Amino acid sequence: MKNRIIYPFTAIVGQEKMKLALMLNVVNPGLSGVLIRGEKGTAKSTAVRALADILPEIAVFAEDPYQLDPEEELDAYAEIRAMTQANRSETRPEVIKRKVRVVELPVGATEDRVVGTLDLEHALKKGEKRIEPGILAQAHRNILYVDEVNLLDDHVVDVLLDSAAMGVNTIEREGVSFSHPARFTLVGTMNPEEGELRPQLLDRFGLCVNIEGIQKAEDRVAIMERRAAFDLDPEGFAAHWQARSEALADRLLTARALYPRVEVERPLLFEIAQTCLEVGVDGHRGDIIMLKTAKTLAALDGRTSVESTDITTSAELVLPHRVRRQPLMEIADNVQALRQRALAGK
């Protein structure tokens, strides 16, 4: 079967804030995901699939439902194999390479489907305990895409966000406790007109962007022209953008390797704290995610030190959904404007 050509990420017109938030989460999954709020038809799912398509292939064990890394997670593979009774052979399994996948979570997904469960049928027939892996096992080292996240059961959203933050998923069923790695890039999308997430759940998403249809006529024409060219000749269109896609992929890989070496001077930590205080952010998660985001921005720019501009940019991605709001107030769209109003009111 011929592989389907994906619309190139670098060919997407506009929506720069959304694209930046996605790239930051690919570089640093520790940012705990991004929530994209906006109307339909604004390239949300296109951008997610396109970004996954340009990422380099990953090595996995053949027929491993947990997507473990053969270089770094061999011990975990052995433990899981013993626990699940899936394969008693002592020989090292075959290692293959494949593309990063976009794993989609259906709106009606139950907790068992997401987390995984105990295979009771196998236990009754064979007298052995075997774990049935869930969506979080498929999502490890991939992108987990949750459309209409605001329509999911709150408890399921909580489970997703816990795993995104900790990088581990734990299954506890019938006296059995079993954990496996679950590090993934979490992308949630929602239309605010269909209902909001509870503030407690909103706060758990690392980044949040509000998007809407592009208002410039020339940009809308560019969208139509590029889409028509892609539909007419997908392979030729993708080839035209190939060099830019490869350059972006290299940039993301370089940033991922550079991130652990990025340093932040102490005065900039005070700038982060002061920004959070001035716009009315409860708790400390906003400060911590702002620090991580600023460091990731520096790495994406090829730098090993955070600058004040990184703090400003990270505030616009990290704080909109964390600003204290009155009932029925919309989520903020300009954190710096809020900050200036707060300072003027003092």
Side-chain angles (χ1 to χ4, degrees), residues 20 24 293 297 308-318 336:
L20 177 60
L24 291 171
T293 304
L297 282 162
S308 188
T309 53
D310 299 321
I311 305 297
T312 302
T313 302
S314 66
E316 296 296 342
L317 297 168
V318 176
Q336 290 308 312

Side-chain angles (χ1 to χ4, degrees), residues 16-18 20-21 24 34 205-209 289-290 293 297 312-322 335:
E16 299 304 325
K17 191 181 285 189
M18 174 181 73
L20 177 60
L24 291 171
V34 54
F205 276 95
L207 311 184
C208 176
V209 293
I289 298 295
M290 262 189 81
T293 304
L297 282 162
T312 302
T313 302
S314 66
E316 296 296 342
L317 297 168
V318 176
L319 300 184
H321 56 310
R322 294 188 166 91
V335 171

Side-chain angles (χ1 to χ4, degrees), residues 183-228:
R183 296 187 307 276
F184 50 86
T185 300
L186 175 63
V187 181
T189 63
M190 58 174 282
N191 185 342
E193 293 177 357
E194 297 171 347
E196 286 283 4
L197 278 171
R198 288 192 293 112
Q200 296 92 328
L201 295 177
L202 269 176
D203 182 55
R204 300 285 299 282
F205 276 95
L207 311 184
C208 176
V209 293
N210 297 308
I211 61 172
E212 57 184 19
I214 292 173
Q215 299 303 311
K216 287 186 179 179
E218 59 208 66
D219 289 338
R220 295 177 77 103
V221 168
I223 291 170
M224 289 186 284
E225 289 175 337
R226 289 184 187 181
R227 188 69 214 191

Side-chain angles (χ1 to χ4, degrees), residues 56-62 64 66-73 92 94-100 140-142 183:
E57 292 185 329
I58 59 173
V60 294
F61 295 113
D64 174 24
Y66 297 92
Q67 326 297 319
L68 297 174
D69 187 332
E71 292 294 323
E72 299 181 5
E73 297 174 329
R92 183 182 173 92
E94 179 189 0
V95 174
I96 60 173
K97 288 214 165 185
R98 63 158 180 77
K99 293 188 75 64
V100 170
H140 181 48
R141 303 168 67 211
N142 292 297
R183 296 187 307 276

Side-chain angles (χ1 to χ4, degrees), residues 69-246:
D69 187 332
E71 292 294 323
E72 299 181 5
E73 297 174 329
L74 183 58
D75 290 344
Y77 179 82
E79 290 174 13
I80 289 173
R81 185 175 61 181
M83 177 68 191
T84 59
Q85 309 289 330
N87 182 358
R88 296 181 185 273
S89 170
E90 296 301 318
T91 59
R92 183 182 173 92
E94 179 189 0
V95 174
I96 60 173
K97 288 214 165 185
R98 63 158 180 77
K99 293 188 75 64
V100 170
R101 295 171 179 164
V102 177
V103 178
E104 296 193 37
L105 185 83
V107 171
T110 62
E111 184 184 352
D112 282 353
R113 178 74 183 90
V114 173
V115 174
T117 189
L118 185 68
D119 188 339
L120 293 176
E121 184 178 351
H122 181 84
L124 290 171
K125 286 183 177 178
K126 305 286 186 179
E128 297 176 335
K129 292 178 180 177
R130 187 170 71 181
I131 300 297
E132 191 70 33
I135 290 173
L136 290 178
Q138 300 173 35
H140 181 48
R141 303 168 67 211
N142 292 297
I143 296 175
L144 180 58
Y145 180 64
V146 188
D147 193 19
E148 298 182 320
V149 65
N150 52 324
L151 303 184
L152 280 178
D153 181 79
D154 281 355
H155 183 61
V156 172
V157 179
D158 231 354
V159 167
L160 289 177
L161 294 168
D162 275 342
S163 292
M166 296 186 295
V168 174
N169 175 49
T170 300
I171 304 167
E172 293 182 341
R173 296 288 186 277
E174 311 298 330
V176 177
S177 182
F178 168 75
S179 296
H180 65 82
R183 296 187 307 276
F184 50 86
T185 300
L186 175 63
V187 181
T189 63
M190 58 174 282
N191 185 342
E193 293 177 357
E194 297 171 347
E196 286 283 4
L197 278 171
R198 288 192 293 112
Q200 296 92 328
L201 295 177
L202 269 176
D203 182 55
R204 300 285 299 282
F205 276 95
L207 311 184
C208 176
V209 293
N210 297 308
I211 61 172
E212 57 184 19
I214 292 173
Q215 299 303 311
K216 287 186 179 179
E218 59 208 66
D219 289 338
R220 295 177 77 103
V221 168
I223 291 170
M224 289 186 284
E225 289 175 337
R226 289 184 187 181
R227 188 69 214 191
F230 175 77
D231 290 342
L232 188 65
D233 181 12
E235 289 186 2
F237 187 85
H240 176 74
W241 291 90
Q242 183 67 23
R244 275 165 279 200
S245 296
E246 290 176 355

